[in-house]
């Protein structure tokens, strides 16, 4: 493979293709070019890795829970609805 | 009188969406959801709910409450308001239960109701935000670059379009991203996103929804969903990079 081929995608373009790549939305030849570039470019390799870390961190955010007060209000609202709707 | 300070960054771009998502019962191809699958006992719980069974209601609130609250927190300026939005959502669910036909998943339906409620509420709340925030409205920004142009070499350099200041590997990222501080950075970055980007990244990356389910809940085309996700992720990554850079300098 020639240098020209590796440079078919420039770093500046590659960062815009990251999501398409991760979503599996790149056509096969484009995907191959993407992967060739990543394999030979430390900056883009780090960038892709940072993107994956970002996604991972978002998925690990701790769950939120309703306050006891809000839960109580919610149950009251439910009972109001039930008693109103079923007579 | 608000009990919590109005965040510096909340609800700012709520101005931009005027078109609510289509109710997803009408989304023609809501069919089988690929990817992460919603819980199987929704149907039993819904049947219970229709009968007025309180245990079924509690079970649904346990199952979906945290998800709804997380979503609400991203769209309104305080926890107190977010809890009200969640409550209004459940009321809308109860009052609309007979209209839910199960053609989409329950959580898709819940998410659309919550987002509609949050948008309406956010629009009202933004009247109390300082004017400067209103001027910051940004559109979805199809053309905004994922990375600042000055990080790349220019046409006058030897390799135009290649990195001029490349990103560095983040050392032990899992630990560093799990700190309280890093989480705050994440949430602030998300709060600063235009509303559609925020909705997409919340469903896809925080709640782990599939692309298809997210499109159905938000009424987006495939391409649109991906563009919004890309913009959102790029900005959140950039915020984390800035945070790590500063941390590196100070420590």
């Amino acid at each position: 493979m020639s240098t020209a081929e590796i440079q078919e995608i420039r770093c500046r373009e590659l960062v815009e293709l990251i999501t398409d790549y991760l979503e599996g939305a790149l056509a096969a030849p484009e995907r191959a070019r993407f992967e060739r570039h990543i394999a030979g470019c430390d900056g883009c390799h780090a960038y892709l890795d940072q993107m994956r870390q970002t996604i991972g961190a978002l998925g690990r955010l701790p769950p939120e829970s309703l306050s006891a007060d809000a839960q109580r209000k919610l149950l009251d609202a439910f009972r109001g609805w039930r008693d109103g709707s079923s007579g | 009188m608000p009990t919590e300070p109005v965040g510096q960054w909340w609800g700012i771009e709520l101005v931009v969406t005027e078109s609510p998502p289509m109710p997803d019962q009408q989304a023609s191809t809501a069919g089988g959801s690929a990817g992460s699958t919603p819980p199987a006992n929704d149907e039993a719980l819904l049947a219970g709910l229709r009968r007025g069974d309180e245990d079924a209601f509690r079970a649904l609130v346990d199952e979906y409450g945290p998800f709804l609250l997380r979503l609400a927190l991203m769209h309104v300026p305080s926890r107190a308001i977010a809890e009200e939005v969640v409550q209004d959502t459940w009321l809308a669910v109860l009052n609309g239960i007979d209209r839910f036909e199960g053609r989409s998943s329950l959580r898709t339906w819940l998410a659309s109701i919550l987002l509609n409620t949050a948008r309406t509420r956010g629009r009202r709340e933004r009247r109390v935000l300082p004017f400067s925030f209103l001027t910051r409205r940004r559109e979805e920004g199809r053309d905004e670059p994922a990375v600042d142009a000055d990080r790349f070499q220019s046409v006058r350099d030897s390799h135009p379009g290649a990195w001029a200041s490349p990103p560095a590997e983040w050392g032990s990222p899992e630990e560093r991203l799990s700190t309280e501080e890093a989480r705050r950075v994440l949430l602030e970055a998300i709060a600063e996103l235009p509303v559609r980007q925020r909705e997409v990244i919340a469903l896809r990356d925080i709640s782990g929804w599939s692309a298809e389910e997210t499109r159905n809940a938000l009424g987006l085309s495939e391409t649109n969903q991906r563009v919004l996700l890309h913009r959102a992720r790029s900005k959140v990554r950039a915020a984390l990079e800035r945070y790590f850079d500063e941390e590196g300098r100070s420590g």
Side-chain angles (χ1 to χ4, degrees), chain B residues 97-138:
Chain B
I97 190 82
D98 293 328
R99 288 194 301 278
F100 179 66
E101 295 169 20
R103 263 183 255 161
S104 63
S105 71
L106 174 61
R107 65 178 186 180
T108 312
W109 188 55
L110 289 174
S112 357
I113 295 178
L114 181 123
L115 289 172
N116 268 332
T117 312
R119 281 187 201 113
T120 311
R121 190 63 196 254
R123 227 170 276 144
R124 199 166 358 128
E125 298 302 330
R126 92 186 137 79
R127 282 197 297 248
V128 304
L129 290 173
F131 177 74
S132 61
F133 293 129
L134 300 182
T135 63
R136 287 185 45 207
R137 68 162 92 170
R138 281 167 298 180

XYZ file of all heavy atoms in Angstrom, chain B residues 97-138:
361
model
N -53.001 5.930 29.592
C -52.698 4.493 29.568
C -53.542 3.734 28.539
O -53.080 2.793 27.904
C -52.865 3.877 30.986
C -52.318 2.456 31.049
C -54.294 3.894 31.458
C -50.850 2.413 31.253
N -54.780 4.192 28.355
C -55.645 3.480 27.413
C -55.284 3.761 25.960
O -55.703 3.050 25.063
C -57.112 3.839 27.665
C -57.559 3.284 29.019
O -57.048 2.225 29.417
O -58.388 3.934 29.685
N -54.484 4.814 25.772
C -54.072 5.119 24.401
C -52.766 4.418 24.026
O -52.375 4.425 22.869
C -53.888 6.637 24.227
C -55.201 7.401 24.208
C -54.996 8.825 23.703
N -54.049 9.580 24.523
C -54.371 10.188 25.662
N -55.596 10.121 26.112
N -53.479 10.853 26.345
N -52.107 3.851 25.005
C -50.845 3.162 24.702
C -51.148 1.773 24.150
O -51.738 0.938 24.816
C -49.983 3.040 25.962
C -48.683 2.319 25.714
C -47.710 2.887 24.894
C -48.445 1.075 26.271
C -46.507 2.216 24.653
C -47.253 0.402 26.031
C -46.287 0.980 25.222
N -50.750 1.567 22.916
C -51.133 0.315 22.257
C -50.013 -0.702 22.193
O -50.166 -1.770 21.603
C -51.640 0.627 20.839
C -52.922 1.440 20.863
C -53.290 1.975 19.488
O -52.799 1.422 18.491
O -54.051 2.950 19.434
N -48.891 -0.345 22.747
C -47.813 -1.326 22.792
C -47.117 -1.552 21.467
O -46.408 -2.515 21.290
N -47.325 -0.634 20.523
C -46.628 -0.801 19.247
C -45.170 -0.370 19.368
O -44.328 -0.778 18.595
C -47.328 -0.008 18.145
C -48.276 -0.891 17.347
C -48.895 -0.113 16.230
N -50.277 0.208 16.537
C -50.954 1.173 15.920
N -50.366 1.929 15.018
N -52.215 1.387 16.236
N -44.888 0.509 20.312
C -43.496 0.818 20.618
C -43.242 0.292 22.019
O -44.168 -0.119 22.706
C -43.273 2.322 20.578
O -44.065 2.928 21.583
N -41.976 0.306 22.432
C -41.713 -0.177 23.788
C -42.215 0.865 24.784
O -42.342 2.043 24.470
C -40.224 -0.427 23.975
O -39.533 0.802 24.020
N -42.484 0.397 25.986
C -42.981 1.295 27.027
C -41.986 2.424 27.283
O -42.352 3.583 27.417
C -43.235 0.503 28.312
C -43.622 1.328 29.532
C -44.918 2.102 29.299
C -43.766 0.445 30.766
N -40.685 2.071 27.325
C -39.735 3.126 27.681
C -39.606 4.172 26.574
O -39.312 5.330 26.856
C -38.377 2.546 28.064
C -37.647 1.842 26.952
C -36.313 1.356 27.463
N -35.522 0.792 26.377
C -34.311 0.291 26.546
N -33.769 0.276 27.745
N -33.641 -0.192 25.527
N -39.861 3.781 25.326
C -39.859 4.765 24.247
C -41.003 5.753 24.460
O -40.847 6.966 24.309
C -40.062 4.077 22.876
O -39.191 2.969 22.786
C -39.790 5.026 21.747
N -42.142 5.191 24.827
C -43.321 6.020 25.082
C -43.061 6.949 26.271
O -43.319 8.149 26.217
C -44.515 5.097 25.337
C -45.847 5.776 25.440
C -46.411 6.615 24.522
C -46.778 5.666 26.513
N -47.645 7.022 24.956
C -47.908 6.456 26.171
C -46.799 4.962 27.726
C -49.020 6.576 27.000
C -47.919 5.077 28.551
C -49.004 5.880 28.195
N -42.528 6.380 27.352
C -42.229 7.183 28.542
C -41.273 8.324 28.200
O -41.460 9.457 28.628
C -41.586 6.301 29.625
C -42.483 5.279 30.325
C -41.652 4.405 31.263
C -43.577 5.978 31.106
N -40.241 7.998 27.418
C -39.247 9.022 27.082
C -39.878 10.153 26.278
O -39.594 11.330 26.528
C -38.091 8.408 26.307
N -40.768 9.817 25.327
C -41.358 10.920 24.555
C -42.239 11.794 25.418
O -42.250 13.009 25.262
C -42.160 10.455 23.329
O -42.110 9.099 23.160
N -42.967 11.171 26.334
C -43.816 11.976 27.219
C -42.951 12.864 28.112
O -43.190 14.062 28.264
C -44.721 11.081 28.089
C -45.711 10.313 27.211
C -45.477 11.923 29.113
C -46.601 9.365 27.984
N -41.896 12.266 28.659
C -41.043 13.049 29.547
C -40.400 14.216 28.808
O -40.359 15.342 29.309
C -39.951 12.192 30.181
C -39.094 13.055 31.112
C -39.056 12.522 32.520
C -37.712 13.295 30.573
N -39.903 13.953 27.624
C -39.202 15.018 26.893
C -40.156 16.140 26.504
O -39.799 17.313 26.564
C -38.489 14.442 25.673
C -37.273 13.571 26.028
C -36.728 12.872 24.792
C -36.182 14.390 26.701
N -41.373 15.780 26.135
C -42.363 16.822 25.849
C -42.640 17.670 27.075
O -42.697 18.889 27.008
C -43.672 16.196 25.360
C -43.693 16.088 23.849
O -43.057 16.884 23.162
N -44.414 15.107 23.337
N -42.811 16.991 28.212
C -43.080 17.701 29.459
C -41.896 18.604 29.824
O -42.063 19.765 30.192
C -43.314 16.687 30.601
O -44.250 15.706 30.141
C -43.865 17.361 31.825
N -40.697 18.047 29.690
C -39.499 18.801 30.052
C -39.295 19.998 29.126
O -38.880 21.068 29.566
C -38.270 17.892 30.015
N -39.614 19.824 27.854
C -39.447 20.938 26.908
C -40.392 22.073 27.243
O -40.014 23.235 27.260
C -39.747 20.477 25.480
C -38.614 19.735 24.857
C -38.938 19.479 23.388
N -38.129 18.384 22.898
C -38.603 17.203 22.532
N -39.887 16.976 22.561
N -37.786 16.266 22.127
N -41.641 21.699 27.525
C -42.616 22.721 27.876
C -42.174 23.448 29.133
O -42.174 24.668 29.217
C -43.988 22.058 28.147
O -44.261 21.180 27.064
C -45.067 23.087 28.276
N -41.755 22.664 30.098
C -41.329 23.230 31.370
C -40.082 24.087 31.188
O -39.968 25.182 31.732
C -41.055 22.079 32.336
C -40.827 22.487 33.759
C -42.082 23.152 34.312
N -41.760 23.877 35.539
C -42.104 23.453 36.746
N -42.783 22.343 36.898
N -41.782 24.152 37.809
N -39.146 23.592 30.400
C -37.908 24.315 30.157
C -38.164 25.649 29.489
O -37.536 26.657 29.791
N -39.119 25.667 28.568
C -39.458 26.897 27.868
C -39.979 27.932 28.858
O -39.692 29.105 28.760
C -40.520 26.592 26.809
C -40.215 27.186 25.454
C -41.164 26.642 24.416
N -40.730 25.357 23.885
C -41.562 24.366 23.554
N -42.853 24.484 23.746
N -41.090 23.248 23.062
N -40.757 27.435 29.826
C -41.289 28.345 30.833
C -40.160 28.837 31.744
O -40.056 29.998 32.065
C -42.357 27.606 31.645
C -43.241 28.522 32.368
C -44.532 27.874 32.931
N -44.752 26.472 32.667
C -45.034 25.577 33.625
N -45.087 25.950 34.887
N -45.280 24.332 33.326
N -39.284 27.904 32.150
C -38.219 28.263 33.087
C -37.231 29.253 32.481
O -36.637 30.044 33.180
C -37.436 27.022 33.533
C -38.249 25.987 34.268
C -38.929 26.519 35.507
O -38.385 27.460 36.121
O -40.005 26.003 35.856
N -37.052 29.187 31.182
C -35.986 30.003 30.622
C -36.276 31.485 30.748
O -35.398 32.316 30.642
C -35.683 29.601 29.180
C -36.425 30.344 28.110
C -36.140 29.740 26.750
N -37.342 29.637 25.964
C -37.891 30.658 25.325
N -37.342 31.844 25.382
N -38.997 30.496 24.636
N -37.554 31.805 31.017
C -37.869 33.214 31.245
C -37.142 33.768 32.461
O -36.937 34.951 32.568
C -39.377 33.387 31.418
C -40.128 33.347 30.098
C -41.501 33.925 30.269
N -42.278 33.114 31.208
C -43.323 32.383 30.854
N -43.748 32.422 29.621
N -43.967 31.673 31.727
N -36.786 32.902 33.380
C -36.107 33.402 34.578
C -34.589 33.361 34.435
O -33.866 33.784 35.314
C -36.526 32.638 35.857
C -38.026 32.688 36.032
C -36.014 31.204 35.830
N -34.096 32.841 33.343
C -32.649 32.815 33.155
C -32.157 34.190 32.704
O -32.859 34.893 31.994
C -32.253 31.778 32.093
C -32.418 30.316 32.476
C -32.145 29.435 31.264
C -31.489 29.953 33.613
N -30.964 34.536 33.132
C -30.415 35.829 32.705
C -30.349 35.931 31.181
O -30.161 34.937 30.496
C -29.001 35.813 33.284
C -29.021 34.798 34.356
C -30.073 33.809 33.999
N -30.469 37.145 30.703
C -30.538 37.378 29.265
C -29.340 36.812 28.508
O -29.469 36.266 27.416
C -30.649 38.875 28.992
C -30.663 39.210 27.530
C -31.792 38.961 26.771
C -29.534 39.738 26.912
C -31.812 39.251 25.411
C -29.546 40.019 25.547
C -30.676 39.784 24.801
N -28.172 36.917 29.100
C -26.963 36.492 28.389
C -27.057 35.041 27.930
O -26.513 34.667 26.907
C -25.737 36.669 29.278
O -25.876 35.877 30.434
N -27.778 34.231 28.694
C -27.890 32.831 28.302
C -28.747 32.683 27.043
O -28.539 31.801 26.249
C -28.489 31.998 29.427
C -27.582 31.903 30.600
C -28.038 32.195 31.869
C -26.253 31.540 30.432
C -27.193 32.099 32.958
C -25.396 31.449 31.522
C -25.872 31.738 32.786
N -29.710 33.576 26.935
C -30.603 33.460 25.784
C -29.879 33.778 24.482
O -30.237 33.289 23.426
C -31.803 34.394 25.942
C -32.667 34.137 27.165
C -33.850 35.084 27.181
C -33.133 32.698 27.203
N -28.880 34.597 24.575
C -28.166 34.961 23.356
C -27.235 33.849 22.906
O -26.674 33.905 21.834
C -27.312 36.232 23.568
O -26.332 35.937 24.555
C -28.161 37.399 23.997
N -27.092 32.851 23.758
C -26.149 31.800 23.411
C -26.787 30.678 22.620
O -26.207 29.643 22.421
C -25.532 31.225 24.684
C -24.540 32.177 25.309
C -23.888 31.509 26.466
N -23.502 30.147 26.110
C -23.395 29.177 26.993
N -23.677 29.385 28.230
N -23.022 27.973 26.596
N -28.002 30.879 22.180
C -28.654 29.784 21.470
C -27.843 29.398 20.230
O -27.384 30.227 19.467
C -30.084 30.159 21.089
C -30.161 31.242 20.034
C -31.528 31.249 19.416
N -32.419 32.177 20.112
C -33.607 32.499 19.641
N -34.058 31.962 18.551
N -34.359 33.358 20.285
N -27.661 28.138 20.097
C -26.924 27.657 18.936
C -27.807 26.681 18.196
O -28.630 26.013 18.788
C -25.672 26.905 19.387
C -24.539 27.807 19.785
C -23.497 27.003 20.504
N -24.038 26.421 21.721
C -23.324 25.662 22.546
N -22.094 25.379 22.271
N -23.870 25.171 23.634
